[in-house]
Amino acid sequence: MTGSMSSKAFAKTSFANPAQAQYIEDLYSIYKKDPSGVEKSWADFFSGYELALHDLKSKPSHELSHESAQVEALINTYRRLGHLSADINPLEKQTSLAEELMLEFHGLEQSSLPKIFHPANLPGGKPMPLQEIVTLLQDTYTRTLGVEFRDIDDVSRVLWLQDTMESCRNKPPFPLPLRKRIFKKLVEAEGLEKFLHARYLGQKRFSVEGLEALIPTLDVMLNEGKRLGVSEACLGMAHRGRINVLINVLGKPIEKLFVEFEDTEVTTEAIEGDVKYHKGFAAEIDTFDQGSILCYLAPNPSHLESVNPVVEGFVHARQDLLKDVQHKKALPILLHGDAAFMGQGIVAETLNLAVLPEYSTGGTIHIITNNQVGFTTDPKESRSTTYASGIAKILSCPIFHVNADDVEKCVWAMIMAIAYRQKFGKDVVIDIVGYRRHGHNETDEPSFTQPKLYEKIKTHPTALEVYAARLRDEGVFTEAEIEAQIKDHREYLQKKYELVHSGAYKMEYFVLPEKLKHSLFYVKPSYEDIFASVKTGVPQTKLNAIATQIMSIPDDFKIHPKLTRLIESRKNMLTPSGHVDWAFAELLAFASLADENFNVRLTGQDVQRGTFSSRHAVLKDNESGKAYNIFSPLGEKARVEIINSPLSELSCLGFEYGFSVADYMTLVLWEAQFGDFCNGAQIIIDQFIAASEAKWKQVCGLVLLLPHGYEGQGPEHSSARLERFLQLCGNYNMQVVNLTTPANYFHALRRQMHRSFRKPLVVMSPKSLLRRPEAVSIGQDFYQGSFQDVIGDTREFNESKVSSVLICSGKIYYEIMEIQAKDTSEPKIPVIRMEQIYPFPDAHLKLALSKYSGLKEIRWVQEEPQNMGAWSFMRPYLESLPNSYKVNYFGRTYSGTTAEGSFKAHHAEQQRIIMEALKV
């Protein structure tokens, strides 16, 4: 017999019921011929069984008795299914084992317990009585820590976890100083919540009570992480327990928290700031015994789990800045609610990024703070999986389910998790199963909806009480010593509270740790800064040299014949007779910035080629399929990364936002496949990109490229929802542009990096203009000058006799000009282009209008419906201009959809709009 049993032997030793045995025998026969021939769950089971027998080949055949094989099956089942019988719910004691873990299920009898067996791969490899084997397995897998790990598709990781847990039976002896530290953090966790509840009754704080073990668990995580090479940690979490983490893990001064509860630091001049349980924090803190570690808690909105990709992007950028190639120095930690982890789709989207090379952070520590209720919704109403962690199965990662009342098990789970992450560079999930002592918040009455649950919670001891009793019983502390520590902490909080109330405490301005100043960069620009012209031209000699570099394809690289023609045409675009199109202008902007030591990161679906087959920044060898980045000849001055993203908007945009926050010296761009697809990422746009500066003083220079324009392709491929972005604009929070020339696009991108401040830039990017012959620029437009927010009409007019002008933005300009060119009648109407819509370029628009001394009417022309596009935003600005111009609208009528489904209807409507606008 070998390490792989016969199907008949396997079935008979694993299942007592003959019908079951025959069924399993048939399945196992199929599996041995082709593992894909059975369902994945059975394939996993069979592979796990064979893993348990992997070293049986070295055993003498006489040892491989029928009964020994049954024992091996028992061991394997405990490893795979023991978690189902683990005592992980502090409110419901687990009193029995699952049928699959019973001796009888595997054909064994109670009389076999004293017998000596030779287990294939239990710790020590020594003969053991079956009774001891069972005790070891129960201690390891069915106490207050249950572990899902046998679905992992890497044997080395499985064996590491197996050996780590079984060698100490998941109960390692903790040194006395560590146990005292754990107790101290529990005292702080519970003490803070009780103090706040007494002093600020009725104020929301979303307490950690019921999950107090989280605080010492995070404390130990930072200590262990530092020991294993982590130099900085970035946390993302929702509101539950956030205040406690800020104070008792990250070291936010308690006085600042009391000031926030008192609500005495108020600014009435502006709409800014956020509630205390959304705010971020950064500090370099001292660990228990491993020195200092840099910590950053990302600010977040109430939109649960939306911070997840933001943290991942932030950490990825920090790893780049630290040159942390192995991803060992910067650690992402995400805390999730139990209902949100399964309920919010962004969780699955973000998990999918975990092992993608351009998104990976070398493993994330996920902690589910499991209240066993989502607001008022029970688990049976909110998920289809056994555990709140079910969605994490897509990553084939270990999942530790741990009872929140056993704080040492929570800490041990974290010690294993951080060691696993540092060793294997993979994600880990810790599901801390606790409860919520109050309602969803402290003003809520939970017994309305969970009366039986809260009847239990009212009488259930706190984690501090449970651990204090244990330490007292084990002689670590006397009752007097326990009471003294609790009293000392309460008096400490009272003194700080009185200090704030006395007026003696002066609120200090937050000082960012020096190591994070490159990442959490913040400059508030003046009005003059926002509208100041920035020189973004590149000298002719320099730009031509850069263009030659990026168009020099290696001789041995075999590109597609059609792309050969494209490359040749691009080589001629900067010649005196050449014209630069939109795609090449963008590539020149990227290359010139890289030449000036700015990194560039462009991501999105199909961006390497471009949705409209225009960019071709990464070429593929026509024979080998090998990729070639056209920016590689620029050398190591800076990176230009053009990255095809997964088919996700919400997580991918969140990731790029986080990356942009962390690295203000990189031009970060995200391109939607079509502009309206950005609505899948609306939470990131609304809650982070548009609002982060006002809420958290957090800025980014992220660029959104959103293909926009009406070309008869139907409602879903016409509009990037310009109106929605303009509605989000206020207090100079971001820039929105709808450009008409490649050169202006070039300057807009370069201006983004050459300013002294950072603001998001939303670009209504072109589709048909990518190939429209008129939508080109000449070399001179790139060699000098700067971004133009308003472009006037350069044609000759009898300016004193001009009574009307058209103002438009984007693609429709070219259609207006085309129809005007065909009309030989006079007079023509001037056309002014609004290249930047926000911040509104008031002075430059007035200047463009001022030369028409007889002007009476402004005609706003757009292709979007009247309730969409820029009209609602532009109208009050235009009507407030001096001289009381009459302002009229020309465009589609009000509509519930963006565009017609018929190309003919589209064409007829486009013609109507323009012809009516041009009527004299």
Side-chain angles (χ1 to χ4, degrees):
M1 179 173 177
T2 65
S4 178
M5 298 179 66
S6 71
S7 58
K8 183 172 290 187
F10 172 83
K12 288 184 176 178
T13 57
S14 299
F15 296 88
N17 185 298
Q20 283 181 323
Q22 183 59 50
Y23 174 65
I24 302 305
E25 178 183 343
D26 293 342
L27 278 180
Y28 192 53
S29 295
I30 296 171
Y31 170 80
K32 288 179 67 180
K33 293 176 183 177
D34 178 12
S36 65
V38 298
E39 291 184 4
K40 183 178 185 301
S41 60
W42 280 110
D44 290 342
F45 188 88
F46 294 143
S47 65
Y49 188 83
E50 292 184 345
L51 173 63
L53 301 177
H54 81 286
D55 62 348
L56 282 178
K57 298 175 187 178
S58 61
K59 298 287 184 182
S61 59
H62 63 82
E63 294 184 21
L64 299 174
S65 67
H66 177 80
E67 202 169 22
S68 293
Q70 291 173 314
V71 171
E72 294 295 344
L74 175 70
I75 293 170
N76 181 61
T77 305
Y78 263 94
R79 288 166 173 167
R80 179 171 291 280
L81 301 177
H83 58 88
L84 294 173
S85 295
D87 186 21
I88 59 174
N89 187 347
L91 302 177
E92 191 172 322
K93 183 73 175 173
Q94 179 68 267
T95 57
S96 61
L97 291 174
E99 181 187 1
E100 294 85 355
L101 302 182
M102 304 297 287
L103 294 178
E104 293 76 13
F105 188 86
H106 297 275
L108 294 165
E109 299 177 355
Q110 296 295 317
S111 60
S112 300
L113 289 173
K115 290 184 181 179
I116 303 297
F117 291 91
H118 299 260
N121 54 7
L122 283 178
K126 60 183 181 180
M128 300 170 69
L130 179 57
Q131 178 66 70
E132 187 177 342
I133 293 172
V134 170
T135 301
L136 183 152
L137 294 171
Q138 289 182 355
D139 286 347
T140 304
Y141 297 113
T142 67
R143 302 307 182 201
T144 51
L145 175 62
V147 189
E148 295 180 84
F149 72 104
R150 291 304 289 266
D151 289 331
I152 296 173
D153 50 15
D154 180 338
V155 172
S156 65
R157 288 190 273 148
V158 171
L159 292 178
W160 184 89
L161 287 162
Q162 203 167 276
D163 293 344
T164 300
M165 293 186 290
E166 292 175 2
S167 61
C168 67
R169 305 191 181 198
N170 267 335
K171 192 180 179 181
F174 280 7
L176 186 60
L178 177 57
R179 302 186 81 190
K180 290 183 176 181
R181 173 76 172 192
I182 291 170
F183 180 75
K184 176 178 182 290
K185 301 311 287 187
L186 280 179
V187 168
E188 293 172 356
E190 182 178 302
L192 177 64
E193 298 294 357
K194 287 187 173 180
F195 189 87
L196 292 175
H197 194 71
R199 295 293 181 269
Y200 300 103
L201 185 65
Q203 283 205 46
K204 294 179 184 179
R205 67 181 190 277
F206 299 98
S207 85
V208 79
E209 291 165 281
L211 286 162
E212 296 95 331
L214 174 67
I215 302 306
T217 299
L218 288 175
D219 180 66
V220 171
M221 177 201 69
L222 295 176
N223 193 74
E224 279 296 294
K226 184 63 188 294
R227 186 179 67 81
L228 295 172
V230 176
S231 59
E232 57 185 67
C234 178
L235 290 82
M237 67 180 298
H239 39 279
R240 175 76 53 214
R242 188 182 185 92
I243 288 174
N244 217 303
V245 170
L246 280 165
I247 301 300
N248 291 321
V249 178
L250 302 182
K252 178 176 178 175
I254 187 66
E255 299 92 338
K256 290 188 177 184
L257 179 66
F258 289 151
V259 169
E260 290 169 355
F261 269 96
E262 297 290 336
D263 206 14
T264 55
E265 297 288 321
V266 181
T267 302
T268 57
E269 304 85 47
I271 303 172
E272 60 182 23
D274 203 350
V275 293
K276 49 191 164 289
Y277 40 81
H278 286 172
K279 293 180 179 179
F281 187 72
E284 191 153 12
I285 65 171
D286 291 327
T287 63
F288 173 37
D289 62 8
Q290 295 295 319
S292 64
I293 187 170
L294 184 64
C295 293
Y296 169 58
L297 174 63
N300 70 281
S302 283
H303 294 69
L304 299 175
E305 308 292 337
S306 61
V307 77
N308 296 359
V310 175
V311 167
E312 299 293 347
F314 187 94
V315 171
H316 190 92
R318 289 295 301 170
Q319 289 170 340
D320 283 354
L321 292 169
L322 294 168
K323 301 190 186 310
D324 182 14
V325 179
Q326 299 299 318
H327 295 172
K328 302 297 185 188
K329 297 178 183 177
L331 170 69
I333 305 108
L334 294 176
L335 281 69
H336 314 272
D338 51 312
F341 194 67
M342 282 299 301
Q344 295 292 310
I346 194 171
V347 174
E349 285 193 27
T350 306
L351 290 173
N352 185 51
L353 302 178
V355 295
L356 302 180
E358 306 301 340
Y359 294 88
S360 175
T361 52
T364 299
I365 304 291
H366 300 272
I367 303 171
I368 300 175
T369 51
N370 193 337
N371 302 306
Q372 305 191 67
V373 62
F375 204 149
T376 65
T377 304
D378 291 326
K380 65 183 179 181
E381 301 169 313
S382 65
R383 68 173 189 255
S384 300
T385 57
T386 302
Y387 298 112
S389 58
I391 195 66
K393 290 277 193 176
I394 66 175
L395 280 188
S396 184
C397 65
I399 302 172
F400 299 95
H401 305 282
V402 58
N403 189 317
D405 274 0
D406 191 341
V407 63
E408 288 192 7
K409 282 289 176 64
C410 294
V411 167
W412 170 235
M414 179 57 77
I415 290 171
M416 286 192 287
I418 189 67
Y420 177 92
R421 188 268 179 187
Q422 290 298 94
K423 182 176 180 64
F424 297 108
K426 301 292 183 181
D427 288 42
V428 191
V429 177
I430 302 176
D431 176 19
I432 303 180
V433 183
Y435 53 91
R436 192 184 63 194
R437 189 160 290 277
H438 305 287
H440 177 65
N441 60 62
E442 288 67 31
T443 66
D444 195 32
E445 177 48 72
S447 62
F448 290 157
T449 52
Q450 278 79 29
K452 291 186 176 180
L453 178 67
Y454 275 85
E455 189 176 335
K456 290 182 181 179
I457 291 172
K458 280 181 182 178
T459 58
H460 192 78
T462 68
L464 175 60
E465 290 169 342
V466 171
Y467 196 52
R470 176 178 173 181
L471 295 183
R472 183 192 58 228
D473 293 346
E474 294 176 9
V476 176
F477 291 126
T478 65
E479 185 66 32
E481 289 172 327
I482 290 170
E483 290 300 324
Q485 288 193 53
I486 295 171
K487 180 174 178 288
D488 288 347
H489 183 252
R490 186 168 56 245
E491 290 176 352
Y492 162 79
L493 294 175
Q494 182 64 27
K495 286 180 181 178
K496 296 294 185 180
Y497 175 80
E498 291 171 356
L499 177 67
V500 170
H501 265 251
S502 70
Y505 175 73
K506 300 301 178 185
M507 189 73 161
E508 297 178 358
Y509 182 74
F510 173 64
V511 179
L512 192 68
E514 188 66 32
K515 293 176 183 177
L516 277 178
K517 287 187 176 178
H518 183 92
S519 290
L520 300 176
F521 166 84
Y522 180 66
V523 172
K524 187 174 180 63
S526 66
Y527 176 87
E528 290 74 21
D529 291 334
I530 289 169
F531 289 101
S533 178
V534 180
K535 291 183 179 180
T536 48
V538 179
Q540 180 175 357
T541 304
K542 171 65 74 176
L543 193 62
N544 287 358
I546 290 170
T548 299
Q549 283 181 288
I550 64 174
M551 288 299 101
S552 298
I553 311 301
D555 293 337
D556 60 350
F557 193 86
K558 309 300 182 185
I559 63 174
H560 194 283
K562 289 184 179 179
L563 293 182
T564 301
R565 293 194 294 272
L566 174 67
I567 298 298
E568 290 305 313
S569 70
R570 286 178 173 176
K571 289 178 179 178
N572 295 320
M573 286 183 180
L574 282 176
T575 62
S577 61
H579 293 90
V580 178
D581 65 13
W582 210 278
F584 195 48
E586 178 187 75
L587 300 179
L588 290 173
F590 293 169
S592 61
L593 286 170
D595 187 69
E596 296 162 345
N597 298 310
F598 294 106
N599 292 324
V600 177
R601 176 184 168 93
L602 167 63
T603 68
Q605 294 153 28
D606 313 299
V607 296
Q608 293 183 344
R609 189 202 74 167
T611 297
F612 310 105
S613 195
S614 60
R615 183 172 288 120
H616 295 288
V618 177
L619 308 175
K620 297 295 179 67
D621 190 290
N622 213 33
E623 296 178 0
S624 68
K626 184 180 179 182
Y628 174 75
N629 185 330
I630 66 169
F631 299 101
S632 56
L634 296 175
E636 298 182 0
K637 269 192 171 183
R639 299 188 316 275
V640 179
E641 298 176 298
I642 313 296
I643 300 161
N644 285 342
S645 77
L647 195 63
S648 305
E649 287 80 32
L650 187 56
S651 63
C652 290
L653 184 56
F655 189 98
E656 302 311 323
Y657 169 82
F659 194 106
S660 182
V661 167
D663 187 359
Y664 76 96
M665 291 296 284
T666 292
L667 176 66
V668 183
L669 310 95
W670 176 81
E671 182 174 69
Q673 194 172 55
F674 285 90
D676 50 344
F677 291 178
C678 75
N679 58 18
Q682 202 66 46
I683 291 172
I684 300 298
I685 294 167
D686 291 353
Q687 306 302 325
F688 292 91
I689 294 171
S692 63
E693 182 176 3
K695 291 194 293 187
W696 312 313
K697 288 185 168 53
Q698 185 172 92
V699 299
C700 76
L702 179 61
V703 179
L704 275 63
L705 303 178
L706 309 177
H708 175 85
Y710 282 51
E711 284 135 2
Q713 297 302 306
E716 264 66 65
H717 294 116
S718 296
S719 175
R721 293 292 189 172
L722 172 61
E723 65 281 355
R724 292 182 180 172
F725 288 96
L726 293 174
Q727 190 179 41
L728 291 171
C729 291
N731 199 23
Y732 307 113
N733 61 327
M734 59 184 181
Q735 310 153 93
V736 179
V737 300
N738 193 10
L739 309 174
T740 58
T741 74
N744 221 22
Y745 179 45
F746 171 88
H747 290 296
L749 294 179
R750 288 182 49 77
R751 179 182 71 162
Q752 194 71 353
M753 300 308 294
H754 281 282
R755 282 173 154 175
S756 61
F757 58 91
R758 294 289 179 265
K759 298 281 183 180
L761 171 63
V762 180
V763 181
M764 299 290 114
S765 56
K767 295 179 290 179
S768 63
L769 294 193
L770 292 168
R771 290 180 174 82
R772 190 173 184 112
E774 303 93 333
V776 293
S777 301
I778 60 173
Q780 198 63 34
D781 297 334
F782 299 86
Y783 304 145
Q784 57 190 21
S786 58
F787 177 74
Q788 295 176 275
D789 48 24
V790 175
I791 300 179
D793 199 324
T794 58
R795 295 176 295 176
E796 292 185 6
F797 294 92
N798 186 340
E799 294 170 352
S800 63
K801 292 186 177 181
V802 171
S803 60
S804 300
V805 298
L806 304 185
I807 302 180
C808 66
S809 187
K811 176 187 74 73
I812 200 169
Y813 163 77
Y814 288 100
E815 294 167 303
I816 294 170
M817 298 301 287
E818 181 181 5
I819 290 178
Q820 272 200 343
K822 293 176 182 177
D823 185 2
T824 57
S825 63
E826 292 289 346
K828 296 283 193 293
I829 301 178
V831 184
I832 295 174
R833 288 171 271 175
M834 292 292 297
E835 299 285 290
Q836 177 173 293
I837 304 172
Y838 190 82
F840 186 76
D842 182 72
H844 291 158
L845 179 59
K846 288 176 182 176
L847 182 63
L849 294 170
S850 65
K851 65 179 183 178
Y852 306 114
S853 56
L855 184 63
K856 297 288 188 292
E857 179 195 24
I858 292 175
R859 301 178 180 181
W860 174 258
V861 188
Q862 69 177 41
E863 52 189 0
E864 302 90 349
Q866 192 166 354
N867 54 315
M868 301 177 195
W871 166 243
S872 297
F873 181 84
M874 290 291 299
R875 184 176 184 177
Y877 282 106
L878 297 176
E879 290 180 342
S880 67
L881 290 169
N883 303 324
S884 301
Y885 301 122
K886 183 179 181 181
V887 178
N888 287 315
Y889 168 82
F890 295 86
R892 283 171 170 77
T893 188
Y894 292 94
S895 175
T897 186
T898 56
E900 307 84 4
S902 161
F903 178 80
K904 287 185 177 180
H906 156 79
H907 182 70
E909 187 66 358
Q910 258 346 61
Q911 292 292 304
R912 179 196 66 77
I913 293 168
I914 296 169
M915 295 304 293
E916 288 184 3
L918 291 174
K919 284 182 182 177
V920 178

